[in-house]
Amino acid sequence: MKVPMTHSSKGFATRAIHSFYNPLDHEGALTPPMHLTSTFAFETAEEGGRRFAGDEPGYIYSRVSNPTLDILEKRMADLEGGQAGLATASGMGAITSVLWSFLEPGDELLVDKTLYGCTFAYMRHGLSRFGINLTYVDMSDSENLVQAISDQTKIIYFETPANPNMRLIDIAKIANIAKGFEARVVVDNTYATPYLCRPIELGADIVVHSATKYLGGHGDVVAGLAIGSSEDMEQVRLVGMKDMTGAVMAPFNAMLVTRGLKTLNLRMDRHCQNAMVIANMLEKSSAVQSVFYPGLESDPYHELAKKQMADFGGMIAFELTGGYQAGINLMNRLKMIHRAVSLGDAETLIQHPASMTHSTYTEEERKTHGISEGLVRLSVGLENVEDILADLEQGLAGSS
Ligand code: 3LM
């Protein structure tokens, strides 16, 4: 496994385990204590006033900040190579808090054509109702962005690899084009995680995550994170999150995500290894028409993946020779693999984007946005790969 670029002098795993917490400052408690408190007492009324005015650091109320969240926010900022982080109630909480913080009526929002279903719905049915001019750009060819960008562009937004069809976008190229403009480049790094890809180091301004996925890693928490410059994150904290969405992460959930981070590198290595084996099997299977996985040499994004990712990730999309019905048959024949949305868990999960995660698009929109009706999405888990293979093979055998 190639060792990813490091942000500070210690390695990725070491920082994910140790940084920004010393047990000796907390009665020796190896695990950070959880601050299950909504509010914080002030020594004097004047102290409270100074904190509200921003003249003095210190906690006020857990919708603004909390010590348990602080550790996670700092660790994630460090792992992503950003200055500051913000822990939110969900991935959607991170995305909405960031965008509400920087957009005004009349501003232009340029988004890639493939987005996670609820992100698409928020932009298409939410933001555009409030005077934001939303334009879809196929950013897999950065020339399209050169044509679309203007002085009105305030946010350029994309996922890489994109949910669900595994398109990749060249982060450095996009960031370079945005340089001459006021626009912030916001990247959803949920699929790759900072272990495999660090958009900020490639020139992006803000990274958002669904921490529900690989960061938490165990399917037991809904959570989100945003990372960026100190100034931007302060604005998202005090405007987007505190006043507009209220989507703050709960301390218990921060504990779960902080725990997940400790094994992120180990889990990602295994997700990647398993996914490579599965993708190779699918590519060879006569029941499968096409496989979308950037680890395959035949994949159009293979070279870009090698350039901007340390490995190819745990997500695969594919279409069966027998089309939509064969995909449904396959899903229903599986015995170990669970039929469920979400991703990045220990358990291998399979779902059908057109009727599930991407049912927020109309059929017509899915067609325009390149999400085919027969596509099946697999989140490759941490089980023994032979068992995942065996379940898929028996499922495929009777799917047509
Ligand atoms: C899913 N995705 O199954 P939360 N960004 C990306 C995501 O994949 C997601 C979010 C943001 C799925 C969830 S679908 C009903 C279940 C790339 C979530 C949003 O708010 O933490 O769910 O993150 O693809």
Side-chain angles (χ1 to χ4, degrees), residues 89-95 115-119 157 159 161-163 188-191 208-213 221-224 315 340-343 351 356-358 377:
S90 61
M92 287 311 298
I95 294 162
L115 296 172
Y116 161 61
C118 295
T119 307
Y157 186 100
E159 302 170 2
N163 185 354
D188 185 327
N189 199 28
T190 299
Y191 264 39
V208 290
H209 277 283
S210 171
T212 315
K213 312 297 185 301
V221 62
V222 172
M315 298 298 296
V341 296
S342 204
L343 57 109
Q351 68 108 7
M356 297 176 187
T357 53
H358 292 69
R377 189 190 77 182

Side-chain angles (χ1 to χ4, degrees), residues 204-264:
D205 298 291
I206 295 177
V207 161
V208 290
H209 277 283
S210 171
T212 315
K213 312 297 185 301
Y214 292 106
L215 304 182
H218 295 78
D220 51 13
V221 62
V222 172
L225 280 146
I227 297 98
S229 70
S230 303
E231 206 180 314
D232 277 359
M233 289 304 106
E234 193 67 358
Q235 173 135 351
V236 179
R237 183 186 297 281
L238 297 179
V239 178
M241 190 183 71
K242 176 171 80 66
D243 297 340
M244 298 179 94
T245 65
V248 70
M249 189 187 282
F252 188 82
N253 291 351
M255 183 277 285
L256 290 174
V257 179
T258 305
R259 183 168 72 172
L261 279 189
K262 291 184 185 187
T263 55
L264 179 65

